[in-house]
Amino acid sequence: MRSAKDFFAPLAVGAPLPVREVPARPSRMIHFFDPSNEKMAAKIPALVGTVDVLLGNLEDAVKADNKEAARAGLVAIAKATDFGDATQLWTRVNSLDSPWVLDDVVTLVTEIGDKLDVIMVPKVQGPEDIHYVDRLLAQLEARAGLTRPILVHAILETARGVANVEQIAAASPRMQGISLGPADLAADRRMKTTRVGGGHPGYLVRQDPPVGVEDAINADRVVYQQDLWHYTIARMVDACALNGIFPYYGPFGDIKDVVACEDQFRNAFLLGCVGAWSLHPVQIAIAKKVFSPSAADVAHARRVKAAMGDGTGAVMLDGKMEDDASLKQCLVILALAEQLSAGDPELAALYAPAVQGEAQ
Ligand SMILES: CC(=O)SCCNC(=O)CCNC(=O)[C@H](O)C(C)(C)COP(=O)(O)OP(=O)(O)OC[C@H]1O[C@@H](n2cnc3c(N)ncnc32)[C@H](O)[C@@H]1OP(=O)(O)O
Ligand SMILES: CC(=O)C(=O)O
Ligand SMILES: [Mg+2]
């Protein structure tokens, strides 16, 4: 660990100063695309302005034979595209033990470092992985003459990574956030689900046997499917909150099951995540809906704020107690609504009636 006094010093002479606060730009959906897939790549310019993050993926899901084409494709797309203010450009580089990652990082920072907001690093095991990327980025930024640091996002997809999540989140001022990687994590932990995220019908709790019924054990009983990812997401959210960075649910692989995808995204939103990955265009609208607070929640938050006056004490609203702490919860919703409305006239209009409602 660097000492506190050195934490915000650049790691190479000439590298830009690290950020003291991670910019809180909307990142409700991190939209993955394979830059070596010409059909997919051709769709990227039209997505600018409609998604918060476009991520050129170089790692898993890109065929080994296409790794170089994907890297070159991302460079070409980044150079040819104006991403504007509403859409960030991220990449997921290959894992740190792979034969491709060094060329990924060197090429991307050198060629398109001025356009790249965040580099996502897969299979992060501990803070030492972030320290390596941190120093390498500083050297490359200095050489490329970049004036703004590229941030780093870790994927939590190994048992060791989960065990070290607090140190990973605290490893560098470059840390922007962490995503759950349920597929690799399941494999690494030897979990017995073969799905990419989401639940499993076998992971459940069952109602007790009914009393006074013959063959009660075999009687019909309600079962409740449980969330396989609750523990990991909750740990990740705490580690991120503790360090002022952002947590994300990762991929939901059942593209056709848009209903369960929405449920999984919403669970993550309610637990504190700010976004999720969209693997297919159909998941973009789901993430936008889920990770933008509802108009009803915004209206309620405004009513609580108005009722709480100077923000202290306790009041009754609709039969419920509100106090300093519930006001803070409401302020989280209002801050998010304000941030999202600033760049989205549709959301601004959706939230506006809540102001009139509050005045009545
Ligand atoms: C565990 C992990 O690491 S998850 C992260 C890694 N995985 C990924 O990045 C996967 C990204 N997504 C994909 O590769 C694809 O969406 C797939 C393979 C899941 C499905 O692809 P397809 O079978 O082509 O889906 P489908 O036929 O429904 O596509 C409809 C259209 O959307 C396009 N499309 C599909 N996915 C995307 C995408 N992510 N971005 C932009 N366009 C896309 C297709 O090219 C197709 O275009 P067309 O209408 O011109 O033919
Ligand atoms: C997200 C990812 O990479 C995984 O689930 O393995
Ligand atoms: Mg993975």
Side-chain angles (χ1 to χ4, degrees):
M1 258 326 234
R2 273 177 276 169
S3 77
K5 78 177 172 37
D6 292 336
F7 193 66
F8 290 103
L11 287 180
V13 175
L17 275 180
V19 291
R20 292 210 163 234
E21 205 168 311
V22 181
R25 296 179 66 184
S27 46
R28 293 162 292 181
M29 69 299 289
I30 301 170
H31 184 71
F32 269 59
F33 67 95
D34 173 355
S36 72
N37 177 327
E38 283 178 14
K39 222 165 81 171
M40 217 186 265
K43 295 196 156 46
I44 298 311
L47 289 175
V48 171
T50 70
V51 296
D52 296 337
V53 176
L54 278 167
L55 181 145
N57 177 34
L58 308 184
E59 201 225 9
D60 293 355
V62 174
K63 279 185 158 302
D65 287 350
N66 291 347
K67 293 291 185 185
E68 274 157 35
R71 191 191 299 139
L74 179 55
V75 169
I77 290 169
K79 285 191 169 171
T81 309
D82 177 359
F83 294 91
D85 292 332
T87 300
Q88 302 178 53
L89 178 67
W90 294 19
T91 186
R92 177 170 79 168
V93 293
N94 285 286
S95 62
L96 296 179
D97 60 355
S98 75
W100 304 291
V101 64
L102 186 59
D103 286 337
D104 290 346
V105 178
V106 171
T107 304
L108 296 179
V109 178
T110 307
E111 297 282 334
I112 56 167
D114 55 334
K115 293 233 168 147
L116 261 188
D117 293 290
V118 175
I119 292 186
M120 185 182 270
V121 183
K123 302 176 178 70
V124 171
Q125 302 269 13
E128 65 281 4
D129 289 342
I130 303 299
H131 295 159
Y132 166 74
V133 174
D134 200 3
R135 180 79 72 174
L136 179 60
L137 284 177
Q139 291 167 338
L140 293 169
E141 287 168 344
R143 194 170 70 178
L146 299 186
T147 53
R148 159 192 77 108
I150 296 168
L151 301 184
V152 169
H153 183 110
I155 313 180
L156 203 55
E157 49 185 349
T158 65
R160 204 175 135 219
V162 175
N164 290 329
V165 66
E166 289 83 9
Q167 290 106 294
I168 292 169
S172 160
R174 279 186 203 277
M175 281 301 297
Q176 179 276 340
I178 303 181
S179 285
L180 172 74
D184 272 300
L185 182 56
D188 195 59
R189 282 177 171 161
R190 300 195 182 90
M191 290 167 70
K192 303 303 181 295
T193 168
T194 55
R195 301 172 174 199
V196 176
H200 192 290
Y203 193 68
L204 51 81
V205 292
R206 188 180 301 271
Q207 187 185 21
D208 279 359
V211 176
V213 170
E214 200 178 325
D215 195 14
I217 294 298
N218 292 309
D220 277 347
R221 290 189 264 163
V222 180
V223 294
Y224 300 91
Q225 198 170 315
Q226 305 295 293
D227 183 356
L228 284 169
W229 306 110
H230 179 271
Y231 156 77
T232 313
I233 294 177
R235 271 201 73 176
M236 178 181 75
V237 166
D238 281 348
C240 289
L242 180 66
N243 289 286
I245 68 171
F246 300 109
Y248 299 78
Y249 177 76
F252 189 88
D254 192 343
I255 308 290
K256 291 268 178 292
D257 194 349
V258 290
V259 175
C261 176
E262 181 170 334
D263 293 337
Q264 183 78 64
F265 283 8
R266 185 163 291 105
N267 287 350
F269 174 66
L270 291 170
L271 269 183
C273 290
V274 301
W277 300 7
S278 52
L279 301 183
H280 185 279
V282 76
Q283 295 182 334
I284 293 172
I286 302 173
K288 182 170 180 187
K289 175 180 170 194
V290 169
F291 291 99
S292 310
S294 70
D297 280 349
V298 175
H300 172 73
R302 286 193 173 120
R303 285 185 67 216
V304 172
K305 187 177 172 197
M308 279 296 294
D310 74 352
T312 63
V315 296
M316 281 285 273
L317 207 59
D318 305 333
K320 298 190 180 86
M321 189 279 302
E322 306 289 350
D323 71 358
D324 314 47
S326 64
L327 173 62
K328 284 183 200 151
Q329 294 172 264
C330 291
L331 294 180
V332 169
I333 299 284
L334 290 177
L336 179 58
E338 196 177 316
Q339 180 207 41
L340 296 175
S341 320
D344 184 335
E346 257 177 52
L347 272 185
L350 180 72
Y351 297 148
V355 181
Q356 289 154 16
E358 170 208 317
Q360 284 162 11

